[in-house]
Amino acid sequence: RDGPVNVLFVGWMIEAKGVRELLAAARELPQARFTLIGAEDPDFLAEIAPELEAMSDRVTRLPPRPRDDVIALYAQADVFVLPTWREGFPNVVLEAMGAGLPVVATPVGAIPAAGCGAGPPMPLCGRSSRTGSCACAWAKAGARAPASTSRSRP
């Protein structure tokens, strides 16, 4: 499919989930489109509001959505990104993998264990990748789901 790479994040929009790093990736990737879905911390949102506004043509922020809506957004995405600093076992990673998306995530908590079975490759970014470069590698390459897991889309 032609067009920009669609990057999806689903989670709390707080600093510890790596939202600043995700916005850094968005700055580096003007050709990509980012969708961020999740509940917000009002204080953190106020801090990042100028940056969100400056990139409003390519960064979309959505409040929590019903499960069916989120599943539809997975289907529209090209890559799922979770640059979290700490995590348990995030269901969103499994949901993204189940949708056939490549997953770019920091290797914290049980995230590495999620990549040990069937499913698309899971590039893992070290904590030192706090610049967002982990997402950049996929988007700069115009990454789509690998051939073994690619999905049909219009």
Side-chain angles (χ1 to χ4, degrees), residues 6-71:
N6 294 309
V7 179
L8 179 64
F9 166 89
V10 179
W12 278 90
M13 283 193 243
I14 59 175
E15 188 162 18
K17 289 291 184 178
V19 173
R20 284 189 201 275
E21 290 76 13
L22 199 51
L23 294 176
R27 276 193 311 275
E28 290 183 41
L29 300 164
Q31 75 281 15
R33 300 295 173 257
F34 289 74
T35 302
L36 288 62
I37 305 169
E40 304 159 341
D41 169 8
D43 294 333
F44 180 67
L45 186 60
E47 288 178 35
I48 63 170
E51 197 165 7
L52 286 169
E53 180 60 32
M55 294 186 288
S56 64
D57 60 328
R58 54 199 167 85
V59 176
T60 302
R61 183 176 48 86
L62 300 173
R65 296 279 198 237
R67 181 168 167 66
D68 289 344
D69 290 358
V70 175
I71 289 170

Side-chain angles (χ1 to χ4, degrees), residues 65-86:
R65 296 279 198 237
R67 181 168 167 66
D68 289 344
D69 290 358
V70 175
I71 289 170
L73 289 165
Y74 283 126
Q76 296 169 17
D78 295 306
V79 62
F80 179 79
V81 179
L82 186 63
T84 185
W85 300 357
R86 59 185 171 274

Side-chain angles (χ1 to χ4, degrees), residues 10-11 17 67 70-71 74 80 82 87-99 103 110-111 114 122:
V10 179
K17 289 291 184 178
R67 181 168 167 66
V70 175
I71 289 170
Y74 283 126
F80 179 79
L82 186 63
E87 198 64 58
F89 193 92
N91 288 335
V92 293
V93 168
L94 297 178
E95 291 169 0
M97 291 172 71
V103 173
I111 291 174
M122 183 179 211

Side-chain angles (χ1 to χ4, degrees), residues 94-149:
L94 297 178
E95 291 169 0
M97 291 172 71
L101 288 175
V103 173
V104 179
T106 45
V108 297
I111 291 174
C116 294
M122 183 179 211
L124 298 175
C125 308
R127 237 344 251 258
S128 62
S129 295
R130 295 201 43 207
T131 63
S133 60
C134 55
C136 295
W138 280 96
K140 283 182 180 172
R144 302 286 189 258
S148 63
T149 59

